Amino acid sequence: MPSRTHSAPRVAVLADSDTRWKWGALTARRLQPDARLDGYLLRGRATPTVRQLGEVGARADSLREIRGVDFLDLMERDARAGDDTGYDVLVLACVGGAVQAMLHGLRHAWRAEAPAGGRRPVVVTGYVGVVYEKLADGLLLRHGADVVLANSRHDADRFRAVYQGVGAPDDSVVECALPFLGGAPYQEPHTPSAEQEHRPYTVVFAAQPSVPDSREARTYLLRRAVEHARRHPDREVLVKLRSKPGEHTTHIEELPYQKLAAKLPGRLPANCRLVYGNMGEVLDRTDLMVTVSSTAALESLHRGIPTAVLTDLGIREALGNHHFLGSGCLASWDELDAGHRPEPHPEWLARQGVAADGAYETAFDAARDRVTALAAADHLPPLTPYYTPRTAPGYLPGILARYGLDPRGAPLAGHVDAAQEAGGLRKFARDTVREAARGAYRHGVQRVAPAIRRWGQL
């Protein structure tokens, strides 16, 4: 199969949520800075809205919503073309099950019996942020990609250990860093820049959609942020929200903080607000970042902003704050109320790839070199995921069926090509109906399902 001959490389990013789109698009830009970037949003419960895409800020040369089977059909036709118009790199920025389904679907689409002359893209995948749960499950669902990106030396060691533990090749693991770290280094309040001169000391509580997951715990965290604002009237306390009610992110948010805030006794103090917006822009005015386990903590630490990972609800794997053991960042609201400012340990920062020492600028060199070399190769071998109908006969077929594929990775009967995009009022009506259906689904997830679960516990 000949290599691509066009001068400007082309990259496709398939993403299934707003945060994964951000990671995928920015990763693509880091790996292939001069490439044309085409974005594909996998149709599902978490397909980002226009507002969410605007807030993320990651841009593409083209962007469209697509079903998984249609994306695979597009990739098959692209590879069969055999000319210089195809993709050089494909970034799968999806949940593990979707990545596994696409790997098997792509293997089938690019099967050996396809006409000669085509050439497949380099397939890259990875994680959006902190990997604190389902390490083995998520990693094995991503096995089979040409490159599995690890966001730090710590993660790279763990990833290789998992693959070695099942006897699977681990040479796909490449250490890099989170692509959205950066921004202006933090300046202490007593040495403000001209832009910072007139703003108050700002505390940001970075909320998470599903951590913690109970009403009591989420209400507690919100109440403590509000109380901090009342204790420190000279400070501004911002509760940074991920989404508006009804929108979905990477994780389901059954109890939005907006609704919890509306039920607190009294009004929020004047120096406490719920805010949206790009996290990087919020960090530009942050003096203390507070969270349970959000990836925002890594963004904050990278800039040198004092960062607190809360221990109020315990240090537990279910919360993800156990990831920060040894970081020096663990603290409680009581300590923060008393003026405590955590100081991170440099060794921990270095292993997590967030040390603000200049090394970040070279963090993508190895991954960029690996992808460039693979893209220039005359031939790439077939994708070979660890999971097959032989190694996981009771697990894999269900994952593939969820995305419209049979155990071989071929489209299931009935999953035909999507109709051509309609225009004008027909397209508006179709999109309106689709959004209404999503709204009904989200209402069921956020309101009805939790109620049923509570009834079942009575």
Side-chain angles (χ1 to χ4, degrees):
M1 293 184 179
S3 60
R4 303 297 192 195
T5 60
H6 50 278
S7 56
R10 295 185 65 212
V11 179
V13 176
L14 179 69
D16 59 3
S17 72
D18 57 339
T19 51
R20 291 198 179 96
W21 164 247
K22 177 182 179 180
W23 177 85
L26 296 180
T27 293
R29 293 295 189 199
R30 295 275 186 180
L31 296 177
Q32 300 276 280
D34 300 322
R36 172 186 169 83
L37 196 162
D38 294 327
Y40 298 90
L41 303 176
L42 188 61
R43 190 173 298 168
R45 67 159 183 83
T47 306
T49 64
V50 173
R51 189 203 69 80
Q52 287 175 307
L53 291 172
E55 183 174 295
V56 164
R59 300 287 182 259
D61 294 295
S62 72
L63 190 62
R64 60 179 285 199
E65 185 178 322
I66 196 169
R67 298 186 308 165
V69 290
D70 299 323
F71 178 77
L72 293 170
D73 180 66
L74 178 66
M75 291 299 103
E76 181 175 5
R77 287 187 279 112
D78 177 82
R80 284 174 179 266
D83 55 23
D84 64 354
T85 64
Y87 290 112
D88 298 272
V89 179
L90 168 58
V91 179
L92 298 178
C94 302
V95 69
V99 172
Q100 182 72 183
M102 292 303 104
L103 290 173
H104 280 272
L106 291 169
R107 177 181 171 85
H108 180 269
W110 299 332
R111 56 197 180 278
E113 61 264 31
R119 188 189 186 284
R120 72 170 180 86
V122 179
V123 180
V124 179
T125 193
Y127 286 87
V128 171
V130 176
V131 184
Y132 67 85
E133 63 177 353
K134 300 180 181 178
L135 175 65
D137 191 14
L139 271 175
L140 292 174
L141 288 173
R142 288 168 171 82
H143 187 270
D146 297 304
V147 177
V148 178
L149 297 177
N151 297 323
S152 65
R153 186 168 72 250
H154 173 69
D155 278 353
D157 291 343
R158 293 195 298 162
F159 290 8
R160 294 190 182 103
V162 169
Y163 289 162
Q164 291 167 4
V166 297
D170 67 343
D171 55 346
S172 61
V173 177
V174 181
E175 180 184 341
C176 62
L178 288 167
F180 43 77
L181 301 184
Y186 176 64
Q187 292 184 313
E188 293 289 343
H190 61 273
T191 58
S193 65
E195 294 79 5
Q196 294 175 321
E197 189 170 356
H198 302 294
R199 70 166 179 80
Y201 185 96
T202 302
V203 178
V204 174
F205 171 61
Q208 295 168 260
S210 60
V211 177
D213 60 358
S214 74
R215 180 183 299 275
E216 293 76 17
R218 293 171 77 81
T219 301
Y220 168 83
L221 293 177
L222 179 60
R223 178 173 57 80
R224 290 306 301 261
V226 172
E227 289 177 358
H228 187 83
R230 291 197 175 106
R231 289 173 181 268
H232 299 275
D234 57 327
R235 295 183 174 187
E236 183 173 38
V237 176
L238 306 178
V239 179
K240 170 63 173 69
L241 303 172
R242 283 283 307 279
S243 59
K244 294 188 175 182
E247 292 179 335
H248 271 194
T249 59
T250 302
H251 301 283
I252 296 173
E253 185 166 20
E254 295 182 347
L255 297 165
Y257 278 99
Q258 299 93 319
K259 295 184 178 181
L260 297 177
K263 295 182 179 181
L264 289 178
R267 294 184 176 181
L268 296 181
N271 63 329
C272 182
R273 295 186 291 124
L274 309 181
V275 300
Y276 300 95
N278 180 278
M279 179 56 77
E281 295 174 359
V282 174
L283 289 175
D284 287 340
R285 50 178 167 154
T286 300
D287 297 292
L288 175 63
M289 165 62 66
V290 183
T291 186
V292 175
S293 61
S294 173
T295 300
L298 301 183
E299 297 184 63
S300 175
L301 287 166
H302 184 75
R303 293 188 182 211
I305 299 171
T307 302
V309 176
L310 293 172
T311 62
D312 292 56
L313 304 175
I315 300 172
R316 297 183 285 147
E317 284 80 359
L319 297 176
N321 53 1
H322 71 292
H323 181 85
F324 293 87
L325 288 168
S327 68
C329 298
L330 296 169
S332 69
W333 268 120
D334 282 352
E335 293 173 304
L336 300 179
D337 288 344
H340 176 58
R341 282 161 53 97
E343 295 186 7
H345 297 158
E347 298 83 1
W348 187 90
L349 293 179
R351 278 193 57 78
Q352 298 299 324
V354 293
D357 58 1
Y360 180 72
E361 298 308 316
T362 61
F364 285 86
D365 289 354
R368 189 180 303 114
D369 292 346
R370 174 75 67 85
V371 170
T372 299
L374 290 172
D378 291 332
H379 173 74
L380 291 177
L383 300 174
T384 54
Y386 169 74
Y387 284 138
T388 67
R390 181 180 179 86
T391 60
Y395 184 45
L396 180 64
I399 292 174
L400 299 184
R402 200 176 306 147
Y403 294 90
L405 304 176
D406 71 14
R408 299 177 298 113
L412 288 167
H415 287 262
V416 296
D417 290 349
Q420 292 293 321
E421 290 291 314
L425 292 176
R426 288 180 60 198
K427 182 177 186 298
F428 175 79
R430 182 207 64 199
D431 291 346
T432 301
V433 171
R434 182 182 298 163
E435 285 303 313
R438 285 183 185 159
Y441 174 82
R442 289 165 180 162
H443 174 79
V445 169
Q446 294 174 349
R447 305 298 295 275
V448 179
I452 293 174
R453 283 198 292 271
R454 287 193 296 272
W455 295 337
Q457 294 169 359
L458 294 178

